[in-house]
Amino acid sequence: MILVLKENASKAQIDNLIAWLKGMGVETHLSKGTYQTILGLIGDTSGLDEDMLSSLDFVETVKRIREPFKNANRKFHPDDTVVEINGRKIGGGNFQVIAGPCSVESEEQITFIAGEVKKVGAGLLRGGAFKPRTSPYAFQGLGDDGIRLLMEARKATGLPIVTEIMDAGHIPMFEECVDVIQVGARNMQNFELLKELGKLNKPILLKRGLANTIQELLMSAEYIMAGGNHQVILCERGIRTFETYTRNTLDLSAIPVIKELSHLPVVIDPSHSTGHSRFVASMSLAAAAAGADGLIIEVHNDPQHALCDGPQSITPEAFAELMKDIRRILEVVGKKIELPED
Ligand code: PEP
Ligand code: MN
């Protein structure tokens, strides 16, 4: 349920109502937008009398929310959420490109790629240290060492680091060392992990599961937000369909759908969705044109010898070309990439 409050609602009236609702076992979320102040009610609202609430003289309207996601719902929070990572904004007209290798392989590799992508406007560095590989015999990532090397690359370039968590036991290390914690497609519904991440004050990049609906993605975001962490960035990374020419099928329509349903920023991953470096540019541009708030792109200096996901990784040169085209699209859609000065 949401209450749209009148413009003249006083702080005392709002505070009294919030306290009364708390006594009724209902939590609230106050959202002061440009045009409206909205009090979102979270929990079991079945015992509340809608007519009584509408009769309060500082309440404009009372609406029941049908969707099971509340905190993530645009009805609760009409304005776009802007997530800020060390001075880099994403959402609400701010676009960011996250770039880097699938996996951290060595200090030279990650620092070199970080420098290259930074030069042409990437705002954040990606790189896997703990890798969710289908085969237990495939390269599993450098683990703790990978995190340390990412920190070295951050020190060298100033780029905040984004990396995937697979084990809730690693949360203290990630909280201390990492700027954005990525939840991979395979863990989108690891609800215990999501609940733990909800307790942090740290941005979370939540990827859509391989075969999950948009509503399920939003419910997973809800798990994180219900714990108090509202810094959630959603990522569409392709879903399983009958098509095999591409690794997955990029659901570009997820962008306008999520924008309608939710206020959270949406990022597109053209690398894992297509699986082929030659399709990365066109899908990146399409995503920017369709209203995405950012991209997460795999970039490798030597894709042929990459330890993971080489075929879908683009070179720093191709990335530089792509960034020029992305800026042209952003001009048309009225978004900007803003990066702090060094
Ligand atoms: C990744 O981004 O490194 C990754 C493994 O992606 P996904 O979880 O989308 O498969
Ligand atoms: Mn990868």
Side-chain angles (χ1 to χ4, degrees):
M1 189 185 278
I2 60 163
L3 309 184
V4 181
L5 304 183
K6 286 191 181 155
E7 239 176 83
N8 60 2
S10 71
K11 185 172 176 322
Q13 284 172 317
I14 300 173
D15 287 348
N16 280 341
L17 180 59
I18 290 175
W20 180 78
L21 287 165
K22 207 175 170 65
M24 298 289 287
V26 175
E27 290 299 325
T28 50
H29 180 264
L30 189 66
S31 165
K32 280 200 167 106
T34 324
Y35 304 107
Q36 276 181 333
T37 299
I38 287 176
L39 189 65
L41 275 47
I42 305 150
D44 182 8
T45 56
S46 56
L48 298 178
D49 181 345
E50 262 175 72
D51 291 338
M52 185 279 280
L53 290 168
S54 339
S55 71
L56 296 171
D57 60 3
F58 59 100
V59 173
E60 181 92 48
T61 40
V62 177
K63 292 185 203 156
R64 287 232 172 242
I65 306 279
R66 272 174 291 114
E67 296 88 0
F69 47 95
K70 311 292 176 194
N71 286 289
N73 203 310
R74 195 178 273 285
K75 289 175 188 147
F76 262 52
H77 190 289
D79 290 344
D80 286 345
T81 281
V82 179
V83 174
E84 194 164 338
I85 309 123
N86 305 356
R88 287 136 175 99
K89 289 185 183 149
I90 181 159
N94 306 283
F95 196 91
Q96 289 296 337
V97 181
I98 306 166
C102 178
S103 308
V104 180
E105 297 173 8
S106 68
E107 181 165 354
E108 300 71 50
Q109 176 243 20
I110 192 68
T111 314
F112 175 74
I113 297 172
E116 291 297 294
V117 297
K118 185 192 169 169
K119 266 199 305 218
V120 293
L124 298 101
L125 174 67
R126 65 149 288 147
F130 296 92
K131 293 303 302 176
R133 303 305 300 275
T134 302
S135 166
Y137 309 118
F139 175 58
Q140 302 286 304
L142 297 181
D144 296 13
D145 270 346
I147 303 284
R148 188 177 54 74
L149 298 180
L150 280 168
M151 291 166 79
E152 293 290 333
R154 176 176 59 199
K155 204 157 133 198
T157 59
L159 288 183
I161 53 183
V162 183
T163 194
E164 178 169 352
I165 192 158
M166 299 229 289
D167 181 343
H170 291 155
I171 286 181
M173 173 176 53
F174 274 63
E175 193 178 14
E176 192 186 319
C177 306
V178 168
D179 301 295
V180 177
I181 303 179
Q182 177 175 328
V183 176
R186 291 155 192 81
N187 271 311
M188 188 203 89
Q189 288 191 312
N190 182 341
F191 300 119
E192 290 305 318
L193 177 62
L194 301 179
K195 280 187 212 166
E196 290 303 315
L197 295 173
K199 296 177 187 163
L200 308 182
N201 176 19
K202 176 82 73 185
I204 309 294
L205 178 74
L206 177 66
K207 296 189 100 178
R208 181 176 179 182
L210 280 70
N212 285 110
T213 63
I214 291 171
Q215 176 152 317
E216 285 163 345
L217 171 63
L218 293 171
M219 290 311 295
S220 290
E222 193 71 23
Y223 261 94
I224 299 168
M225 298 173 88
N229 186 356
H230 287 234
Q231 303 170 76
V232 180
I233 302 162
L234 303 171
C235 178
E236 157 62 34
R237 47 77 73 204
I239 48 174
R240 281 269 165 93
T241 67
F242 51 80
E243 182 53 66
T244 54
Y245 201 77
T246 47
R247 183 174 177 184
N248 292 287
T249 297
L250 178 59
D251 181 8
L252 272 181
S253 58
I255 303 168
V257 171
I258 294 173
K259 290 274 155 200
E260 187 173 279
L261 295 172
S262 178
H263 50 87
L264 294 173
V266 182
V267 160
I268 292 292
D269 177 342
S271 311
H272 292 90
S273 51
T274 64
H276 300 281
S277 57
R278 65 187 186 281
F279 303 137
V280 166
S282 53
M283 291 301 96
S284 299
L285 300 179
D293 301 293
L295 292 160
I296 177 164
I297 303 178
E298 287 188 343
V299 178
H300 198 285
N301 52 315
D302 185 7
Q304 283 190 329
H305 296 104
L307 295 181
C308 182
D309 286 350
Q312 68 193 34
S313 301
I314 61 171
T315 60
E317 294 74 32
F319 180 72
E321 282 305 306
L322 174 56
M323 284 300 288
K324 286 189 208 157
D325 292 340
I326 290 171
R327 287 182 198 279
R328 300 227 295 268
I329 300 275
L330 292 180
E331 234 171 79
V332 177
V333 295
K335 289 207 171 86
K336 56 188 185 309
I337 301 180
E338 261 185 274
L339 300 169
E341 306 261 324
D342 276 327

